[in-house]
Amino acid sequence: MWRSGLRQRVKELLMILPPPSFLPPSPSPTHHLAFTKKPLLGLANASPCSAVTMSTTTNNLDEIFKQKRVLRSKVRKSLKAIDPSLRSQEDDAIQSLVSEAAWFKSSQRLCAYITCYALREVDTSKLLSQILQNTTKDGSAQNAKKLYVPRVEDKNSHMRMLNISSMDDLIANSMDILEPAPVDQHGNAREDVMLANDPVDLFLLPGLAFDKSGRRLGRGGGYYDTFLRKYQDLARERNWRQPLLVALSYSLQIIDDGAIPVTLNDVPVDVLVSPAGMIPISQAALNRMQI
């Protein structure tokens, strides 16, 4: 009797189950892994397309750096061959143009480089003297300009701009380049422009090559580009007007537009000053030249 009851129960269960053709297939091991494997982070999760893009970008950067090295070598050779008398004439012409410019005269706080003659940079000695003087020719008092000059802190593109009041505040570093001591004669720390309460109006910048679209080729250390980006960020945070970036260039350092390869880290200049005259590049430069 119990056997007949069991057979009846089996028949009922078979009537409930769907036909075999409608049963969902059992997932294969491959399907199971595809849906249960956790996504990986970072490069391991990049799609083949992303990997190709990253590889292409890296290759492009390598090519840009190579082109920069080649261009630096060519410009250095040209600077080395320049006639000393011609160089002196161009130094005087450039400094005269800057010193007579309205945007220079109106600037109260400036950052400027100290010329390294071994690197054949445009001379700034007369401009620095003009910035540091506190009286006019007739002896009457005037608003003193405040000057900050670079001090290289390490080999990792870390540079500071420190305030000086005299050229006597400069000392030669290990590479025989003049820079400010971190403390003054009284042992007090010099004011760092990044910690100053007021904005800088003007930067006077060196470089190896420039073009009339604002591209600047430095010497490869990244010190100025790194510093300028940080200062521009600071100016935005404090809602200050951005400083005017002025590059000083010998005639032979100006090359064809687009010939200088650039990356996103390269900061363009606003004004290019050469013996031939001043070239305003940005809208900020045009506005300041109307002062």
Side-chain angles (χ1 to χ4, degrees), residues 14-244:
L14 290 174
M15 291 177 66
I16 295 173
L17 292 171
S21 60
F22 290 97
L23 288 174
S26 298
S28 66
T30 303
H31 283 98
H32 179 71
L33 290 173
F35 285 98
T36 61
K37 184 169 64 175
K38 293 181 179 180
L40 300 176
L41 300 177
L43 295 177
N45 196 39
S47 66
C49 183
S50 298
V52 170
T53 301
M54 292 173 61
S55 176
T56 301
T57 301
T58 301
N59 290 338
N60 288 344
L61 284 175
D62 289 342
E63 181 61 27
I64 287 174
F65 293 147
K66 180 181 178 181
Q67 292 173 5
K68 285 187 173 186
R69 287 193 296 270
V70 171
L71 185 55
R72 287 189 184 102
S73 179
K74 290 181 179 179
V75 176
R76 285 193 182 101
K77 290 179 180 177
S78 297
L79 285 171
K80 190 175 182 179
I82 190 172
D83 182 83
S85 61
L86 174 60
R87 177 182 169 186
S88 179
Q89 291 174 15
E90 295 205 353
D91 282 332
D92 290 341
I94 293 168
Q95 291 185 95
S96 179
L97 285 167
V98 173
S99 65
E100 294 300 321
W103 44 261
F104 176 79
K105 292 180 178 180
S106 65
S107 295
Q108 294 184 325
R109 290 164 294 276
L110 306 90
C111 288
Y113 68 93
I114 308 296
T115 302
C116 177
Y117 295 100
L119 297 178
R120 295 173 175 81
E121 295 173 331
V122 172
D123 186 21
T124 57
S125 60
K126 294 179 181 178
L127 293 173
L128 298 183
S129 296
Q130 184 173 343
I131 294 170
L132 291 171
Q133 70 181 7
N134 294 319
T135 58
T136 57
K137 293 180 180 179
D138 60 4
S140 61
Q142 68 173 6
N143 292 329
K145 295 180 183 293
K146 203 167 191 178
L147 176 63
Y148 300 87
V149 296
R151 175 182 172 83
V152 173
E153 298 294 343
D154 55 38
K155 296 182 179 180
N156 299 315
S157 303
H158 180 207
M159 180 178 76
R160 293 194 295 159
M161 289 278 185
L162 304 181
N163 175 236
I164 63 170
S165 56
S166 167
M167 295 299 287
D168 293 334
D169 293 337
L170 303 176
I171 58 175
N173 64 14
S174 59
M175 297 181 64
D176 204 30
I177 297 175
L178 292 176
E179 61 182 16
V183 297
D184 61 21
Q185 66 269 28
H186 303 295
N188 300 317
R190 296 190 185 280
E191 184 181 44
D192 188 323
V193 75
M194 295 296 290
L195 303 176
N197 294 323
D198 298 302
V200 168
D201 300 305
L202 174 67
F203 277 82
L204 294 180
L205 303 171
L208 266 177
F210 311 90
D211 72 15
K212 296 178 182 179
S213 70
R215 294 186 178 190
R216 170 187 169 273
L217 179 69
R219 297 185 179 273
Y223 290 95
Y224 276 93
D225 287 318
T226 300
F227 183 87
L228 290 173
R229 288 198 309 274
K230 289 180 180 178
Y231 192 85
Q232 288 174 335
D233 288 342
L234 176 67
R236 279 188 286 268
E237 290 173 6
R238 298 191 179 182
N239 200 28
W240 287 342
R241 181 174 67 171
Q242 290 290 342
L244 195 68

